[in-house]
Short mmCIF file of all heavy atoms in Angstrom, two decimals:
data_model
loop_
_atom_site.label_atom_id
_atom_site.label_comp_id
_atom_site.label_asym_id
_atom_site.label_seq_id
_atom_site.Cartn_x
_atom_site.Cartn_y
_atom_site.Cartn_z
N ARG A 227 -2.91 2.34 -30.04
CA ARG A 227 -2.68 1.33 -30.99
C ARG A 227 -4.03 0.91 -31.67
O ARG A 227 -5.08 1.15 -31.04
CB ARG A 227 -2.02 0.09 -30.37
CG ARG A 227 -0.61 0.39 -29.76
CD ARG A 227 0.43 0.36 -30.83
NE ARG A 227 1.72 0.54 -30.22
CZ ARG A 227 2.70 0.93 -30.98
NH1 ARG A 227 2.68 1.11 -32.24
NH2 ARG A 227 3.94 1.12 -30.38
N ALA A 233 -10.06 -11.74 -29.02
CA ALA A 233 -9.28 -12.01 -27.84
C ALA A 233 -8.44 -13.36 -28.06
O ALA A 233 -9.02 -14.32 -28.42
CB ALA A 233 -10.10 -12.10 -26.58
N ASP A 243 -18.39 -19.48 -11.97
CA ASP A 243 -19.34 -20.36 -12.73
C ASP A 243 -20.09 -19.48 -13.77
O ASP A 243 -20.63 -20.00 -14.70
CB ASP A 243 -20.31 -20.99 -11.75
CG ASP A 243 -19.66 -21.87 -10.74
OD1 ASP A 243 -18.75 -22.61 -11.17
OD2 ASP A 243 -20.08 -21.96 -9.55
N ARG A 272 -23.04 -8.84 -0.69
CA ARG A 272 -22.13 -9.63 0.04
C ARG A 272 -22.25 -11.14 -0.12
O ARG A 272 -21.71 -11.97 0.64
CB ARG A 272 -21.98 -9.20 1.49
CG ARG A 272 -21.51 -7.90 1.69
CD ARG A 272 -21.45 -7.48 3.12
NE ARG A 272 -20.62 -8.41 3.90
CZ ARG A 272 -20.13 -8.15 5.12
NH1 ARG A 272 -20.25 -6.98 5.54
NH2 ARG A 272 -19.39 -9.07 5.71
N VAL A 276 -16.73 -12.35 -6.57
CA VAL A 276 -16.62 -11.64 -7.86
C VAL A 276 -15.14 -11.57 -8.31
O VAL A 276 -14.31 -11.22 -7.43
CB VAL A 276 -17.22 -10.22 -7.73
CG1 VAL A 276 -17.09 -9.55 -9.11
CG2 VAL A 276 -18.69 -10.31 -7.35
N ALA A 291 -8.62 21.80 -23.43
CA ALA A 291 -9.46 22.48 -24.42
C ALA A 291 -8.90 23.75 -24.85
O ALA A 291 -8.27 24.51 -24.07
CB ALA A 291 -10.84 22.62 -23.91
N ALA A 307 -8.57 -0.10 -20.22
CA ALA A 307 -8.26 -1.43 -20.67
C ALA A 307 -8.75 -1.56 -22.12
O ALA A 307 -9.83 -1.24 -22.45
CB ALA A 307 -8.95 -2.44 -19.74
N GLY A 312 -14.74 -11.31 -27.18
CA GLY A 312 -14.44 -12.58 -26.58
C GLY A 312 -13.87 -12.53 -25.18
O GLY A 312 -13.79 -13.46 -24.46
N GLY A 335 -25.08 -2.78 -17.99
CA GLY A 335 -25.62 -1.48 -18.21
C GLY A 335 -24.61 -0.27 -17.96
O GLY A 335 -24.82 0.84 -18.49
#
Side-chain angles (χ1 to χ4, degrees):
R227 299 279 183 197
D243 300 322
R272 294 178 55 158
V276 179

